Amino acid sequence: LEEARNIALQAYNTGCDALIIQDMAILETDLPPIPIHASTQTDNLDIEKVKFLADVGFSRIILGRELSLQQIAAIHRMVDVELEGFDHGALCVSHSGQCYLSQAITGRSANRGICAQPCRSSYDLLDTNGKVLVKNKHLLSLRDFNLSDKLEDLYKVGVSSFKIEGRLKDLSYVKNVTAYYRKKLDKLIAAYPDVRKSSSGDSYLNFDPRPELSFNRGFTSYFIDGKQKKMASLNTPKHKGEELGKVIEIGNTWFTTSGNAEVNNGDGICFFNKYETLKGTKVNRVENGGIYPLSMEDIAV
């Protein structure tokens, strides 16, 4: 606790705006006069929990990703506290702050920031008699969160700050995704005179941000509009890239696709083979509409 308090003091002296806290014991220490925000790791999913956190001094609550618009609206009506909501990034298959799978398997606790991500591994599904129903699928791997079309709805139900999950993401991911949401938020601010940015300055982009080109496992809106189909990415936890189309013709060393996406020499491409396993190769050259890959293995119409 003393180490945590020293880190909090150092953050305060550096000029940080707030501390994000999970462990309630930190509230018992001699903290500097800095706003405290309740981490999504405190499992903020209902009115009672949010009210408790507001009553003990949290100025902002970071809501769980599992909530719907209606549930967020109900919390906002009942509790006078800033609400922050996730709008983009990786999803945990368990409730935030309540997953002990990594700790149980590897000794690395998700609640201490060192999750081994066992939900991204492949598993077999067996019935009570031991019969294999599904073999070698990523049964716990969810798609990535994407609420870029729901920002106005989130604002209307009381969300005042939007959170992009970015753990272990590289510079190009951060640049592309934050730029995309900056453009979205600027349109929202322009439409509502009572809304303003929390910071000064303006962002000027020299590129067209497209989050689908950055690492993702496919997108889902999760529970924001109620339970959805196709929340999981069962065949792979990896990034599949921009969709090119379907293979419509093949030769000995080439194939063509139904799509219009531009393919260039040196591009990496991937596809699912007949066993629904993700395979990949490189493009050697593109000529007269034909794609000539490094390997034709498993490529079929």
Side-chain angles (χ1 to χ4, degrees), residues 20-36:
I20 301 176
I21 289 176
Q22 181 214 359
D23 194 330
M24 296 299 117
I26 295 175
L27 301 181
E28 300 298 315
T29 65
D30 183 23
L31 286 174
I34 185 172
I36 51 173

Side-chain angles (χ1 to χ4, degrees), residues 81-100:
V81 67
E82 288 183 5
L83 300 178
E84 183 168 311
F86 279 88
D87 58 3
H88 199 92
L91 285 169
C92 300
V93 72
S94 297
H95 283 191
S96 300
Q98 300 295 310
C99 182
Y100 299 91

Side-chain angles (χ1 to χ4, degrees), residues 208-272:
D208 182 28
R210 296 175 59 192
E212 69 273 12
L213 297 186
S214 291
F215 180 92
N216 69 82
R217 302 174 179 90
F219 293 125
T220 177
S221 61
Y222 209 28
F223 294 107
I224 203 72
D225 289 318
K227 190 174 182 180
Q228 305 292 309
K229 294 182 178 179
K230 296 184 178 179
M231 289 183 177
S233 178
L234 301 179
N235 290 324
T236 179
K238 298 178 180 179
H239 176 46
K240 298 188 290 291
E242 181 181 9
E243 186 173 344
L244 297 180
K246 293 186 177 182
V247 176
I248 57 175
E249 186 181 10
I250 61 171
N252 290 332
T253 59
W254 56 269
F255 67 91
T256 62
T257 71
S258 60
N260 297 316
E262 183 180 350
V263 183
N264 296 291
N265 300 350
D267 280 351
I269 54 174
C270 63
F271 58 93
F272 289 103

